[in-house]
């Protein structure tokens, strides 16, 4: 068993209609977003059962005891990521996990989903588990839904590009399409925003605005429409936060298109929209591929 | 309207069970294969209706008259590719098309499917047609099936990686999975092989061997099993041609894994299997992404 590394793109949700479900493979959301060339790389390093048991909380010897997270570093610092822990438990393996993120954490880039998905792909390779791609995406999606950290990032991060979630849920339940454009993207983050807090209230207005945005997008699925539908959604769902609203206005004043990453204190724009409006923005591409094991050789 | 370029990976079919259908979006095959970093780039350049009508075969003026292929070059030489022609007709646009292939043509790499798929993606961008990704894959798949040039390459070329066709047909009809491995691949081609001639006979033995190979692969979906299932299929379906059989034996004698590209006079091997057996082989990676519009910027 060797270590293995996988990459999953950051995923900005442009708009969404949440469909929670008691069954985490059926839980999900309709909506659309942007998979980014910036994202999350995860290295999974197998540890043996004895090492995993060294904390004394488990009985040694049985196979189930060997499963779990021996340690997790996020950008070099010990951290907790419940979806990653759930993925390893579901795959019944014990590992050290290193997560490196080139997008801000807790700011609407789906870092927890990307980490769960890349962990599933890397663990499958490192341990020779022999699951299929759909199985691994399903495990990561369910881990994220069960942990309450997201509903739609994982399936979008696996598809790549500008993914559209036509039906909610993991592979075998949900249904995806995509917007066939590959624009350059800029973004600026103003800090963290609690997904749980925002989604703790009445979901009906959000769902209604999300469904309207999806209908609008699929009538003309291109990148301009994706941004415009996201912008309309942010206003109608009442989710815009002040710094983001100001930045969106500034980009629009320069003739650009921008909106808010759902759910984060982050503004994103097509092309050089944020730079044109005077912001010091990060620039990246749309990730054409979606999550993948780092190729051998 | 500007020109646009898209890339689609070459696709080696490891094994297949053909399911022809009168309806080309339902026609397809079960099976599995390898999407390669070597493949086909297509540039689509819009021409106006008058230019398309200059051969005098069509009445000028109506919108339908403007659709079709103004010219097609394959690696710089004028050529005919029926699926590409059908894609442009279906999208109702007139264009010059340049196809550049880094894999051998007519040798089992799905060049016609790749050209159809990349044409659909590039034409959508060049003309601002506003179709979704699934729509464009559907158009390319149907064009290929209707032209009789292939049944499963297009959907595999869009997914990328090591695609598995669980159910035959275009998006909305078929169902895909994937083998989550990204090995290096070598190949040697000994020339062309007529798909139509090989598939003109009784399809039942091929279908039976293809279904058995798929069942085998999905019990342990990794790259070694993909090669081994393909090797078993080639023997059982009676499709091996002499030069390829000799090369497969030579790779196996060195402890490697190789099989025949379905359907082409081509042998492919995992890792450096062909070089190790003394062949002068082309080397490439598994393409992680699948077909995509060439990114802007």
């Amino acid at each position: 068993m060797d270590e293995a590394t996988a990459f999953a793109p950051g995923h900005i949700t442009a708009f969404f209609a949440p469909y929670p479900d008691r069954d985490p493979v059926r839980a999900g959301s309709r909506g659309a977003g942007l998979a980014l060339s910036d994202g999350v790389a995860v290295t999974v390093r197998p540890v043996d059962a004895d090492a995993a048991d060294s904390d004394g909380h488990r009985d040694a010897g049985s196979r189930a005891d060997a499963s779990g997270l021996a340690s997790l570093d996020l950008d070099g610092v010990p951290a907790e990521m419940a979806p990653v822990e759930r993925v390893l438990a579901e795959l019944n393996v014990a590992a050290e996990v290193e997560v490196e993120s080139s997008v801000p954490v807790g700011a609407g880039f789906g870092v927890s989903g990307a980490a769960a998905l890349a962990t599933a792909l890397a663990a499958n390779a490192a341990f020779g588990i022999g699951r299929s791609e759909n199985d691994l995406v399903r495990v990561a999606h369910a881990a994220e839904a069960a942990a309450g950290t997201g509903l739609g990032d994982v399936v979008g991060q696996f598809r790549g590009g500008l993914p559209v979630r036509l039906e909610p849920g993991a592979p075998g339940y949900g249904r995806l399409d995509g917007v066939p454009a590959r624009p350059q993207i800029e973004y600026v983050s103003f800090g963290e925003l609690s997904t749980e807090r925002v989604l703790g209230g009445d979901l009906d207005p959000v769902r209604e605005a999300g469904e309207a945005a999806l209908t609008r997008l699929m009538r003309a699925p291109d990148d301009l429409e994706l941004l415009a539908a996201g912008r309309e959604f942010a206003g109608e769902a009442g989710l815009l936060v002040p710094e983001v609203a100001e930045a969106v206005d500034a980009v629009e004043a320069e003739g650009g298109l921008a909106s808010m990453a759902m759910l984060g204190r982050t503004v994103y724009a097509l092309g050089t929209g944020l730079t044109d409006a005077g912001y010091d923005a990060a620039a990246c591409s749309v990730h054409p591929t979606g999550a993948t094991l780092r190729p051998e050789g």
Side-chain angles (χ1 to χ4, degrees), chain A:
Chain A
M1 296 187 301
D2 289 332
E3 66 176 46
T5 301
F7 174 85
H11 179 249
I12 289 175
T13 296
F15 58 83
F16 69 106
Y19 291 93
D21 194 290
R22 211 175 281 227
D23 182 352
V25 295
R26 293 177 190 276
S29 58
R30 290 205 180 94
L34 308 90
L36 304 180
S37 55
D38 288 353
V40 175
V42 173
T43 298
V44 170
R45 195 169 298 120
V47 297
D48 60 36
D50 291 339
D53 289 344
S54 65
D55 61 1
H57 291 310
R58 296 168 181 154
D59 296 324
S62 76
R63 178 165 162 72
D65 295 330
S67 72
L69 189 59
S71 69
L72 186 149
D73 280 3
L74 173 57
D75 293 329
V77 178
E80 290 197 359
M81 298 188 91
V84 170
E85 204 157 340
R86 283 174 181 270
V87 165
L88 293 181
E90 174 67 27
L91 297 178
N92 199 29
V93 295
E96 295 171 359
V97 173
E98 278 174 24
V99 180
E100 301 280 337
S101 179
S102 57
V103 289
V105 177
F109 293 90
V111 169
S112 61
L117 178 53
T119 296
L121 292 168
N124 182 71
F127 290 92
I129 294 171
R131 302 267 195 141
S132 76
E133 286 182 345
N134 289 1
D135 273 346
L136 295 169
V137 177
R138 206 175 291 128
V139 166
H141 174 90
E144 164 107 317
T149 47
L151 284 171
D153 288 320
V154 170
V155 295
Q157 284 160 333
F158 185 71
R159 182 176 177 108
L162 301 174
V164 179
R165 286 158 283 132
L166 297 176
E167 298 294 344
Y173 303 88
R175 203 156 57 86
L176 295 171
D177 198 345
V179 173
R182 296 296 179 260
Q184 296 293 305
I185 301 295
E186 285 187 343
Y187 61 84
V188 175
S189 281
F190 303 101
E192 300 195 13
L193 188 69
S194 162
T195 304
E196 291 81 356
R197 195 178 55 78
V198 176
L199 294 183
D202 181 9
L203 290 180
D204 287 349
V206 175
R207 196 176 292 123
E208 199 175 320
E211 292 289 353
L214 182 58
T215 301
R216 174 183 175 168
L217 175 63
M218 293 314 285
R219 276 201 294 262
D222 65 26
D223 48 349
L224 304 179
E225 198 68 8
L226 174 64
L227 267 279
R231 172 74 185 82
E232 189 171 78
F233 169 84
E236 289 190 359
L239 296 171
L240 276 172
V241 296
E243 313 96 303
V244 171
E246 192 181 319
V248 168
D249 287 348
V251 171
E252 290 179 346
E254 296 293 322
L257 276 170
S259 189
M260 174 174 151
M262 299 296 158
L263 279 165
R265 210 175 288 278
T266 295
V267 56
Y268 65 98
L270 267 190
T272 56
L274 281 157
T275 303
D276 297 347
Y279 283 85
D280 182 18
C284 64
S285 312
V286 167
H287 197 256
T289 84
T292 185
L293 193 64
R294 188 155 290 175
E296 298 168 22

